[in-house]
Structures are given as C-alpha cells and as structure tokens.
Amino acid sequence: MGTDLSFTPESPALEPQPPRAGEPAPDGGPTTTSRFLGPDRNWHLAFGGLLAVAFIAFSLWSAGHVADRTVMVVLITSIVLGLFMAFNIGGNDVANSFGTSVGAKTLTMKQALLVAAIFEVSGAVLAGGEVTDTVRSGIVDLDGVALQPIDFVIIMMASLFGAAVWLLVATKFGLPVSTTHSIIGAIVGASLTLGYLTGHGSLEMVQWSKIRDIAVSWVLSPVLGGLVAWALFGAIQRHILLYNQKAEQRLRELNAARIAASEEQKREFSRLTELQQIAYTNKLIRDSELAKNPDIDPDQLESDYYRALKKIDKKVDEVRSHRALTIGVPLIGSLGAVVIASMLLFKGLGNLNLGLNTVSVVLILLMVGSTVWLALSMFANSLRGQQLSRATFRLFSWMQVFTASAFAFSHGSNDIANAVGPFVAILDVLRTGQIAEEVQIPAPVMFAFGIALVSGLWFIGRNVIRTVGEGLTKIHPASGFAAELSAAAVVMLASVLGLPVSSTHILIGAVLGVGLVNRAANWRLMRPIFLAWIITLPVAALLGALGFVGLRAIL
C-alpha cells in the first residue's frame, strides 16, 4: 500500500506561508521588503530622490530670482509643470532615440540611462542655447490681443500642461510622438482660448502655413528616414552581412574538406606496410616544415596529405573572409562619423554660433572621418581571430553606441527647449513683469530639466523603447546602426535645407526602412503610431485650452 502524498486546499499545514518582513523567500528570491518597487527598487529610489532634490533646490534658486512673493504659487506651479514636461520628453522622445540601441541589445536599459544622463544633460547645458523665443515657433500671432503679462504666463503654463499630459498618455501606450508638435499644439489651443475669451481673437491668429508644414512632416519625415535607411541597410546587408554569411559557409565547406582529407590520410596510412609507413612518416615530417612557407607550391610537397591541405589553404585565402570586416565596416563607420559630426556641427552645436566657415567644416569632417577609419581598421584587424559574424556585429555595436551618444547630445541641445522655452518665459515675466521677445536661459534651468529628462526615461520610457526597438521590426547592431545613422543624416540634411521634419518621425521611418530590407516591418503597429501623430496637434490644443481655462479661473 503506497503513501498518499496528495493534498487539498483544505490542508492549511501544506499551504505556502508568506515570509516575514526581512526573511528570505522560500525559493531563494528577494525578501518582501526588497520586493517593494520591484527588483530595481534602489534605482527607483535613487532617481526619485534625485528628482525631488532637483525640484527643491531649483525651487529655492527660482524663488531667489522673483522679488514679488505674491506670485510664489504661480512660480512653484510653473516649476512643477516645466519639470513634468521635461520628465515626459524623457519618457517619450529620449526613449524613442534609444529604442534601437536597447532593442538591438547593444545597450541595456541602465547603460542607455547612463549615456542619456551624460550626453542629454551635456547637450542641454553646453549647447542648449543662451536665449530662447518666448512664444515657441511664432505659431500664433498675439499682436492683436490685449495680452497682459499674467495671461502670457497662463498660456505658457497651460501649454506645458497640455503637451505634458498628451506625452504621458502617448508614452503609456508606447506611442512615439513629436514633443515639438505637442508643445505647438498646446500653445495654439491656449492662445486661441485667450483670444476668444477676450473677444479679440479668431482662427486667423494661427499661422496655418506652419500647421501645413507640420502636416507635411507626417509624411515627409518617415518617408525620407525610411528611404535612406532602406538604401543604407540594404547596402550593408548585401556587401557586408551576406558576404560574411557566404564566406562563413565556404569556410565551413573547406573545413569539412580538411577533416575529410585527414580521415582519408588515416585510412591510406593503415593500408601501408610497416616499412612504407616509416617512409611515409618521414615524408610527413619533411612536409610539415615545408608547408609552413605560405608561398610554397603544393606540387613541391612529397605527401598527398600535405598537398591536399595546402590546396585547401589556398582556397581559404581566396575566400578573403575578412574583407568586409576590415574594409567595408571601417568605410561605413567613417561615413557614419562624418554624418554624425555634421549633425553635431549643424544641429547639436548650432545654438552656439561657432562661426565656422566652409573650409573649417570640411577640414573638421575630414579629420573625423580619417581618424575613425584608421581606428576601426586597427580594431577590425585585431578581431581576425574571432568568428566572422560575431566580430562584425561587435564592430557595429561599438559604432551604434557612438551614434546613440551623438543623438542624445543633439537631442539634449535642441528638443529640451520644448520644456525650457515656456518655463524661462514664465520665469522672466514673473521677475520683470514684462513680456520679452527673447529670454536668457540660466544654467540651473538646464541642469534641473536635464535631471527630469533622464528620470522620465527611467520611470516611463520602457514602453516606447519596446515599440521602437522590438515592435516595429527585429533590431540587431547592424540594423540599429543603419537606422540611427540614416535618421541622423536626414535630420542634418533637413536642418541645412530648412525642411519641415520631425526627428521622432524620421527615426520611426528609418526603423521601418530596416524592416523593409528584412521583410519584417510591422505595419499593423504603425497604424496607431501614425494616428497618434495626426491627433497630436488637436489633442494637445484641446488640453492646452482646458489647462488655460482652469488656470485662469484659479489664478
């Protein structure tokens, strides 16, 4: 009679009991205390604490720049809205920029966070511009409205509210949208609301030509990004990745032939008499030394075995298996370095007004391109002993880290203005009581908003990263590098030509272009993304209008 080991839910002694606080879990997992906030509890607490410290320190700094204590409520509310906007830019726009790197497993989420923290904040502080327009993009004409300073402050506050709320909703659903279009839409909604409430405004306040440019960017941006990425990754696929596959296949065949020659040698040797084996062994010994000479003719060797091996070795040399690794990849890398350097000069560092002439720019690009080509060539030659495909992807991984870093710097120097611009306009009005055309940007603003930017990437950026890095198509280091480089090239070209494009839309198009080459683009996911692009302006405008009404009633 066997023992019945079954049990029922009514057997309380066999039910698993939760561990007490501080005790290890039965399965060796984390304690109940450490499960609070999940496995990244310390990271959450660190960034939450950093954000809180930034808010407190920045509030104290801002309070010192406002003499009228009666507006402190407005100031604190503005700080909250400004940091909230920067937080959501980090969760959507920055996450979108790092999606390909994380999706390709080139960077982990924490590594991406580190890169973003350094390069986004550095771009904001070093090249974020010393001044900013008080009304973003001049999208609304407020000259015909009796605009009071407090009304202007409320417009900016409502714009930050509307854009940030829409970005938060889009980020929650993993939809990468344009932060620039969001803040423009919110400004339009808040401004029109003021015009209608005062009886001095109408739809004619809006510069519809710029709205038209934004609508054009919905199609132009992804199409340009997709075409360039399709062409670039197609070339990488044909001349590097497929070349490597064919080379590795040929090497496997030759290795099989080498093994077959060895087996045939053993069989033939076993059929010889003892004296013949001694004689043949002497031939093998002599040939083993002669075969070390790479230039020796196989017919000069005495043994059939070494003659066969030497012929196989010559066929291995003819494969030129590392040609793409040592020639193609460094060339692509140097081209990428030139494109990235151009993007930094024309866009990332454009706010600094460096005053470089054409000759200076060309010389800088030549130095960057040649230095990167030489470094990658040396690195590629050092990887000859590794498996071909692994060595190639390792090179592309390094190259993708640099493109991601440059993107982060350029992003920090430009798009953070979508949060900083309205806030510094508010701060200036609260300080002076007047509306200025342009406003100085203090460094503490950039630091505080940069911290909020990176915190947003950590706390809410995963959904957008998952969409860009995994949802639209399968990304690996080579395809991720192609997408990022293509997006950088289009952003740089559009900046020079003045084309109405969105860097977010360009990168999404570039990822889809990579998917077209692999025949694995997820067009079903693109439908809600494109819908989100279209409704960004009206939804942000509606939220901006609601924010204006609510804030005006309170203030």
Side-chain angles (χ1 to χ4, degrees), residues 447-530:
F447 273 113
F449 279 58
I451 290 173
L453 198 82
V454 178
S455 299
L457 172 63
W458 172 254
F459 282 112
I460 63 174
R462 287 171 174 79
N463 289 342
V464 173
I465 284 178
R466 193 174 297 114
T467 297
V468 177
E470 300 175 7
L472 291 171
T473 192
K474 180 68 175 177
I475 296 290
H476 52 68
S479 59
F481 168 78
E484 291 177 3
L485 180 59
S486 300
V490 175
V491 168
M492 181 269 295
L493 182 63
S495 298
V496 173
L497 300 179
L499 298 176
V501 295
S502 164
S503 58
T504 297
H505 301 175
I506 289 170
L507 185 58
I508 295 300
V511 172
L512 287 174
V514 165
L516 286 175
V517 176
N518 291 329
R519 298 182 181 179
N522 186 356
W523 295 105
R524 181 174 298 179
L525 179 58
M526 191 58 205
R527 295 173 190 170
I529 293 176
F530 189 73

Side-chain angles (χ1 to χ4, degrees), residues 128-312:
E130 296 181 356
V131 297
T132 185
D133 295 337
T134 55
V135 180
R136 292 286 298 157
S137 303
I139 199 76
V140 181
D141 182 10
L142 294 172
D143 292 338
V145 181
L147 187 63
Q148 299 298 319
I150 188 61
D151 288 330
F152 178 78
V153 167
I154 296 174
I155 288 176
M156 294 293 102
M157 293 174 67
S159 301
L160 290 171
F161 168 80
V165 170
W166 166 239
L167 286 175
L168 181 62
V169 172
T171 303
K172 178 65 177 177
F173 289 96
L175 301 173
V177 296
S178 171
T179 56
T180 302
H181 294 179
S182 299
I183 195 68
I184 287 176
I187 289 175
V188 169
S191 300
L192 286 178
T193 303
L194 171 65
Y196 280 110
L197 289 178
T198 59
H200 296 288
S202 65
L203 291 176
E204 295 179 356
M205 295 168 57
V206 181
Q207 296 189 26
W208 294 105
S209 61
K210 293 194 174 182
I211 300 295
R212 179 201 61 207
D213 291 343
I214 291 174
V216 168
S217 76
W218 296 336
V219 176
L220 183 64
S221 297
V223 168
L224 287 176
L227 286 175
V228 175
W230 174 79
L232 177 60
F233 185 60
I236 292 174
Q237 183 90 298
R238 288 190 304 273
H239 300 295
I240 296 177
L241 302 184
L242 290 179
Y243 179 91
N244 286 351
Q245 289 181 8
K246 293 177 180 178
E248 287 187 325
Q249 176 61 32
R250 180 58 177 157
L251 290 178
R252 283 192 292 269
E253 293 172 355
L254 293 173
N255 189 52
R258 191 187 301 275
I259 294 173
S262 178
E263 294 297 326
E264 178 64 22
Q265 156 68 18
K266 292 177 182 178
R267 286 193 297 268
E268 292 294 331
F269 190 79
S270 65
R271 298 191 185 103
L272 300 177
T273 64
E274 185 175 351
L275 290 177
Q276 289 175 325
Q277 288 180 351
I278 293 173
Y280 195 72
T281 300
N282 291 329
K283 291 181 181 180
L284 291 175
I285 293 173
R286 289 191 294 270
D287 284 350
S288 65
E289 292 298 322
L290 293 173
K292 293 179 181 178
N293 183 358
D295 299 324
I296 194 169
D297 191 295
D299 294 332
Q300 295 179 262
L301 300 173
E302 300 179 68
S303 62
D304 294 337
Y305 175 63
Y306 272 103
R307 279 199 292 267
L309 289 186
K310 200 61 181 178
K311 290 178 180 178
I312 292 173

